Amino acid sequence: MDRLANTVRPYAWGSTTALPELLGTAPTGEPQAEMWMGAHPGAPSRIDRGAGPVSLAEMIDTAPDTELGADTVRAFGPRLPFLLKLLAAGSPLSLQVHPDLAQAREGFADEERRGVPIDAGHRNYKDANHKPELIVALTPFDGLCGFRHPAQSADLLAGLGVDDLKPYVDILRASPEEDALREVLSAVLSAEHHAMAETVERAAVAAGRLAAEDGPYAQDYAAYAGIAHHYPGDPGVLAAMLLNHVQLQPGEALFLGAGIPHAYLSGLGVELMANSDNVLRCGLTPKHVDVPELLRVVRFEAGDAGVLRPEAVDGEEIYETPIDEFRLSRFALAPGAAPRPLASRTPQILLCTAGTVRLRAGETGDEAGGEAGGGAGGAAGSGDELTLSPGESAFVRPGEHLTLAGEGTLFRATVVA
C-alpha cells in the first residue's frame, strides 16, 4: 500500500476554510475547492516506494496488471477507472449535466472528426467516457438534483409574482411533463440576454423577500436568492428553479447519473466519479453553454432527488449505485474494536475523514490470495503500516491483505469487478 500525496485545486467556488479545517492546516485565504485522489492526468496523486515521488498514473502505465489487477484491466482498460475527491463548495458550482457512455463516445468522435481543439472553450467532449458521480456529505450540504414535478415548479415560479414568468408557469401547468420541462428550459436558456437578465433580477429580489416569510418554499427561495447573488442576471438561476433543492445531512448522498441536471451549492463532501471530464453546462457559469447539445443529453424526467443512505453489510456501509466503474463505502471504527481484515481483488483508495485509522499490511495468505482472484500479486511485505489522519489517503493494489484499526471514519473507493 502507498500513502498518497494529493493536489488541492483552487477553483473560485471553493471554500476558504472547509478543507483546512479537515486537514488541520492553516487557511491561506484563497479558495480550496477539491483534493484529488487517483490517477487523473490533470492532477495525479504521487507515491514513493523508496526511489522518490512518482505519479500514480505513471506507475499504473508501467505495470497496469500489477497496479490494477487483470480483472480491472479487462473490464475498464489499463487505467484507474475512478477519481476520488474531497469537495468543498463555498459558493454554487455551475449547473450541469453529464452524457451517458454512448453519447460521450459519439460526441467525442464527432468533435475529433471536425477538428475541434481539445482545449477549445466551446468543446463539449474532452474524452469518450461517461461521468456518473456520487457525493456523500461530511457536513450539511446543499445542492440541486433532478427536475421537480412541473406543477411544483409552476407554483414556485408563480409565487414570485413576476409577470415575465407567467408564460413558463402556464406551460408547466398545461403541457405533458417531458414537453413542459424541455420547452421551459429551452426558452430560459435561449432567451435574449438583456431581457432575461432583467427577469432574473426581479425573480431574485422576490425570492429574497419570500425567503424571510413562513411559506412552503421559504428554504428553496433562500437557496435560489443565494444563487442569484453569486450569478446576477444568469438565466441558470431560473433553470435552477426547475430543480429539486436538496439539503443533505452528514452521511447522506446523491447519485448523479447521466442526463440528470445538478449543481452543488455549499458544504464539504466525499465525491467519487468515473474518470472523465465531460460536462455540459446549463448556466451559473461564464463558460460555454451549448443549448442544442444540452437538450439532446438532458433527461426530462421529474421526481424526487433520491437521497441515498448507506446499507450495512458485515460492518461495511455501502452506497449502492447502478454502475461498475466505482463503488464507495465507509467504515466507522469504534474504540477498542478488534482489527478488521480487508482484502480485495480490485484496486482501492482508502480515505480517512475523522479520527485516526491504522492500516497494517500482512503477507497474503491462501484466504486473501483466493479473494484476489485475477489480481497480479503486489502484496506488501509483513509489518508495513500506515496511520491516516483526516484528509490522508492510501492506494492499495489488488491482492494486498490489510487490517484496519483505530478510532475514526474511513471511506473505501474501489470498482465492481
Side-chain angles (χ1 to χ4, degrees), residues 159-215:
L160 294 169
V162 176
D163 288 343
D164 289 346
L165 298 179
K166 188 176 184 303
Y168 305 144
V169 172
D170 292 342
I171 293 168
L172 291 166
R173 285 181 172 158
S175 300
E177 176 181 287
E178 181 177 345
D179 294 343
L181 295 172
R182 180 184 295 275
E183 187 172 351
V184 172
L185 182 65
S186 176
V188 166
L189 297 182
S190 303
E192 192 276 324
H193 178 75
H194 180 72
M196 179 53 66
E198 291 183 347
T199 300
V200 170
E201 287 301 309
R202 288 193 289 271
V205 170
R209 182 184 70 253
L210 292 166
E213 300 178 4
D214 189 23

Side-chain angles (χ1 to χ4, degrees), residues 6-9 19 23 33-37 84-86 391:
N6 304 306
T7 298
V8 173
R9 311 286 278 191
L19 277 178
L23 300 172
E34 296 180 344
M35 186 172 77
W36 289 17
M37 290 156 279
L84 182 65
K85 299 179 180 181
L86 282 167

Side-chain angles (χ1 to χ4, degrees), residues 18-87:
L19 277 178
E21 287 176 2
L22 181 73
L23 300 172
T25 59
T28 65
E30 300 297 320
Q32 297 183 43
E34 296 180 344
M35 186 172 77
W36 289 17
M37 290 156 279
H40 190 288
S45 300
R46 298 169 303 285
I47 62 175
D48 189 344
R49 293 179 179 167
V54 178
S55 158
L56 180 59
E58 293 177 8
M59 189 64 71
I60 291 171
D61 287 344
T62 301
D65 277 10
T66 298
E67 303 298 329
L68 302 178
D71 288 348
T72 298
V73 172
R74 277 193 297 270
F76 307 110
R79 68 171 190 163
L80 190 67
F82 63 80
L83 176 65
L84 182 65
K85 299 179 180 181
L86 282 167
L87 183 147

